[in-house]
């Protein structure tokens, strides 16, 4: 038997739990910030607690004789859960606190690419209170800009010209505002193109990709409304995307490989875990938006269910740095994931409202922000349940997801357009226009 500690509570962690659960020799022990009924069902034991409570996580791991841990979200990585488990001899799939900088410090990542001459950076500069007077000149050098606080901001601190503000004066004001609470701020050129996620697994030496995925950040259909954690996502049966060729995926993978090498060169540490690159295909080629030190949510749901290779074995090979010996295979299927969210999400979601789901034969279901009470499931305010359709084509996968979602009763909404022909054609037209 292999005892695995899973840290995480979201639909992403539910998908990770399911991937482990395919191996009957794995016993899952889950530490969650709030009880996910789906994960609880797949676990031998669960403990609810704060991710910053490293002592409780260590106790729980010791008590259950954990062989290795898998860390789902970024917060515990940032809190140093991997280092804490290492102290008691438990290895993790997930970077140490200092290597989680790949996600938690945007300046670390931009500077790393620059120092090691790796493609993918837009024009950028990092500013702090000492070179504040130089921001204005740099802002004026660029056409349109994006302003990013340096540090974890729960995905909310990034502001894009044209979306969140219009003028360079507003950009400067926001930089100053950021510097009141953060040590530094990144100003970068706004890139125009189509975004995609390439989630890779690495043992610090070998880097293996999972199929590329496209997420949908905006709350409402046709990509309007406020930004969210991601309303849904899709992946194609050929492991490319309708607007993305093999050469583009190869370029993104090459960037990630070089970054993994650069991390070791720079820190003498090996990065073990997920390197999830948010990339954008532009007229100038594939550029890097950011790295995350974890799987994406919803993107984890698009790739983990397609895994043909035993997930626990992959994790073990990451820990002993033999990932190059494993042949990691994914089914050649298309996937479409759609989240149902409470009405009013993300700004003013209804809370504590009941949601009823009918079991669908055709789609998988992953719980996110829902609580199991005696009389059913209640939504807590964030993304509630993810539905995943899998098929031989995007059309089939989209239909399966949509059919499952249509069986949901409650004060919810979802984006019907994700994975549809119309929206995908819009993406293709956009990229054709950009590439000329
Ligand atoms: P991040 O928190 O870095 O993922 O940024 C959030 C979102 O801001 C990304 O998903 C992009 O849509 C957008 N974004 C970030 N950096 C840029 C950039 N340089 N150019 C255009 N859009 C960007
Ligand atoms: N889907 C975006 C994220 O996981 O950060």
């Amino acid at each position: 038997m292999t005892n695995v500690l899973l840290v995480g509570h979201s639909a992403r962690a539910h998908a990770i739990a399911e991937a482990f659960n395919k191996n009957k020799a794995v016993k899952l022990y889950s530490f969650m910030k709030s009880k996910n009924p789906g994960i609880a069902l797949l676990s031998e034991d669960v403990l609810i607690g704060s991710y910053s409570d490293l002592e409780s996580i260590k106790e729980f791991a010791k008590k259950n004789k954990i062989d290795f841990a898998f860390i789902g979200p970024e917060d515990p990585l940032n809190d140093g859960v991997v280092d804490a488990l290492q102290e008691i001899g438990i290895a993790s799939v997930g970077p140490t606190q200092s290597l989680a900088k790949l996600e938690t410090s945007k300046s670390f990542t931009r500077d790393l690419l620059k120092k090691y001459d790796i493609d993918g950076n837009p024009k950028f500069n990092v500013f702090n209170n000492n070179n504040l007077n130089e921001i204005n000149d740099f802002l004026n050098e660029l056409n349109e800009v994006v302003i990013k606080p340096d540090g974890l901001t729960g995905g909310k601190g990034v502001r894009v010209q044209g979306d969140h503000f219009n003028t360079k004066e507003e950009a400067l004001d926001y930089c100053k505002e950021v510097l009141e609470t953060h040590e530094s701020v990144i100003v970068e050129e706004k890139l125009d193109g189509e975004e995609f996620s390439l989630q890779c697994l690495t043992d610090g030496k070998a880097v293996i990709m999972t199929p590329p995925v496209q997420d949908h950040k905006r709350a409402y259909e046709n990509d309007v409304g406020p930004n969210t954690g991601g309303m849904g996502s899709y992946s194609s049966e050929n492991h490319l995307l309708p607007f993305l060729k093999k050469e583009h995926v190869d370029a993104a993978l090459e960037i990630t490989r070089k970054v993994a090498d650069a991390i070791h060169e720079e820190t003498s540490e090996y990065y073990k875990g997920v390197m999830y690159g948010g990339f954008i295909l532009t007229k100038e080629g594939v550029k890097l938006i950011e790295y995350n030190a974890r799987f994406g949510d919803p993107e984890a749901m698009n790739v983990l269910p397609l895994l043909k290779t035993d997930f626990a074995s992959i994790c073990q090979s990451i820990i002993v740095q033999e990932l190059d010996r494993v042949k990691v295979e994914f089914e050649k299927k298309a996937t479409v994931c759609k989240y149902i969210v409470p009405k009013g999400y993300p700004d003013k979601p209804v809370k504590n409202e009941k949601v009823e789901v009918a079991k669908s034969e055709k789609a998988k279901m992953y719980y996110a922000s829902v609580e199991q009470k005696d009389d059913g499931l209640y939504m807590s305010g964030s993304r509630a349940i993810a539905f995943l359709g899998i098929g031989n084509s995007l059309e089939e996968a989209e239909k399966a997801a949509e059919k499952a979602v249509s069986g949901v009763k409650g004060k919810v909404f979802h984006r019907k357009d994700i994975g549809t022909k119309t929206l995908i054609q819009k993406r293709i037209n956009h990229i054709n226009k950009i590439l000329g």
Side-chain angles (χ1 to χ4, degrees):
M1 278 295 173
T2 307
N3 294 351
V4 177
L5 168 67
L6 175 62
V7 179
H9 60 283
S10 59
R12 162 182 55 208
H14 190 183
I16 295 168
E18 183 193 64
F20 278 124
N21 204 250
K22 283 190 201 161
N23 180 336
K24 294 302 158 216
V26 169
K27 277 192 183 166
L28 206 57
Y29 296 86
S30 300
F31 187 95
M32 306 180 234
K33 145 171 126 173
S34 54
K35 188 167 175 178
N36 179 315
I39 299 174
L41 214 59
L42 300 175
S43 304
E44 296 292 315
D45 194 9
V46 302
L47 183 63
I48 312 301
S50 159
Y51 292 144
S52 56
D53 184 1
L54 302 179
E55 285 311 311
S56 292
I57 299 178
K58 285 202 294 197
E59 274 310 305
F60 184 61
K62 262 198 250 173
K63 182 181 119 192
N64 293 303
K65 301 192 170 49
I66 291 302
D67 292 295
F68 70 86
F70 193 102
I71 317 301
E74 63 273 28
D75 291 339
L77 294 170
N78 191 37
D79 287 335
V81 70
V82 172
D83 313 65
L85 290 167
Q86 228 163 37
E87 283 166 18
I88 54 166
I90 296 175
S92 301
V93 178
T96 56
Q97 189 178 36
S98 75
L99 295 191
K101 268 193 304 205
L102 186 68
E103 169 163 1
T104 59
S105 166
K106 292 178 193 295
S107 65
F108 169 78
T109 302
R110 288 277 181 241
D111 286 336
L112 192 76
L113 264 79
K114 188 174 169 187
K115 179 169 173 188
Y116 290 86
D117 204 16
I118 302 168
D119 284 344
N121 266 344
K123 286 188 196 134
F124 81 100
N125 253 319
V126 184
F127 297 95
N128 54 41
N129 279 313
N130 298 324
N131 60 356
L132 187 71
N133 55 340
E134 294 163 25
I135 298 185
N136 208 29
D137 284 349
F138 189 62
L139 284 171
N140 289 320
E141 260 177 50
L142 302 178
N143 188 13
E144 284 197 298
V145 297
V146 178
I147 312 293
K148 304 181 172 185
D150 204 10
L152 270 191
T153 55
K156 291 198 176 68
V158 174
R159 292 204 188 157
V160 180
Q161 190 166 4
D163 286 350
H164 306 106
F165 63 90
N166 290 311
T167 65
K168 293 284 166 63
E169 287 72 32
E170 288 168 284
L172 184 62
D173 286 345
Y174 184 54
C175 289
K176 288 180 182 160
E177 189 187 319
V178 169
L179 287 175
E180 284 168 19
T181 48
H182 292 75
E183 231 164 71
S184 45
V185 62
I186 294 119
V187 175
E188 56 188 50
E189 153 194 34
K190 179 178 168 182
L191 301 164
D192 190 13
E194 276 298 323
E195 290 183 49
F196 64 98
S197 307
L198 190 70
Q199 305 168 95
C200 291
L201 290 158
T202 181
D203 58 4
K205 297 186 201 166
V207 174
I208 282 176
M209 62 168 244
T210 68
V213 178
Q214 190 173 44
D215 185 16
H216 298 72
K217 288 213 156 79
R218 298 301 191 103
Y220 314 135
E221 274 154 39
N222 283 315
D223 301 315
V224 295
N227 271 328
T228 69
M231 294 294 290
S233 47
Y234 66 92
S235 72
S236 301
E237 68 283 359
N238 60 0
H239 298 175
L240 301 172
L241 287 170
F243 61 87
L244 204 64
K245 296 196 177 111
K246 183 167 183 305
E247 69 199 67
H248 305 131
V249 178
D250 287 347
L253 178 60
E254 188 59 17
I255 291 173
T256 302
R257 290 212 161 110
K258 288 185 174 161
V259 170
D261 287 344
I263 289 173
H264 181 244
E265 182 97 14
E266 183 69 11
T267 66
S268 305
E269 268 193 81
Y270 288 106
Y271 184 109
K272 296 179 180 179
V274 179
M275 290 173 72
Y276 150 16
F279 292 97
I280 181 166
L281 176 59
T282 72
K283 195 169 171 52
E284 279 74 44
V286 171
K287 302 277 178 189
L288 176 74
I289 299 269
E290 63 164 356
Y291 273 109
N292 293 308
R294 48 164 178 85
F295 275 118
D297 186 344
E299 293 96 321
M301 274 79 88
N302 297 93
V303 302
L304 288 171
L306 299 186
L307 200 51
K308 291 206 279 186
T309 316
D310 175 43
F311 189 50
S313 308
I314 297 173
C315 292
Q316 280 162 324
S317 72
I318 288 174
I319 287 162
V320 298
Q321 293 195 289
E322 290 183 353
L323 188 59
D324 61 334
R325 295 198 192 171
V326 187
K327 191 162 193 282
V328 179
E329 288 186 292
F330 294 87
E331 282 181 69
K332 294 267 183 189
K333 298 269 189 193
T335 65
V336 173
C337 183
K338 301 200 189 206
Y339 256 117
I340 56 154
V341 301
K343 284 215 164 118
Y345 174 83
D347 297 330
K348 281 197 186 124
V350 295
K351 286 185 184 165
N352 218 1
E353 287 286 341
K354 199 170 178 178
V355 59
E356 289 177 64
V357 287
K359 194 120 189 77
S360 164
E361 299 282 297
K362 291 231 167 125
K364 287 173 169 285
M365 192 167 75
Y366 299 96
Y367 291 124
S369 255
V370 284
E371 192 189 339
Q372 182 78 58
K373 294 189 182 173
D374 289 344
D375 65 336
L377 281 177
Y378 284 79
M379 298 185 287
S380 331
S382 200
R383 293 177 292 180
I385 304 174
F387 291 87
L388 180 77
I390 302 180
N392 292 317
S393 62
L394 276 169
E395 201 177 345
E396 242 181 73
E398 195 276 330
K399 282 212 176 91
E402 195 56 43
K403 182 149 192 295
V405 175
S406 66
V408 177
K409 288 198 196 108
K411 291 186 179 160
V412 296
F413 76 95
H414 76 285
R415 276 188 61 170
K416 283 199 182 73
D417 60 346
I418 293 171
T420 58
K421 260 206 171 112
T422 315
L423 190 58
I424 285 172
Q425 192 55 48
K426 201 174 134 191
R427 304 277 187 257
I428 298 171
N429 295 347
H430 180 215
I431 213 71
N432 285 345
K433 193 170 150 221
I434 281 175
L435 302 184

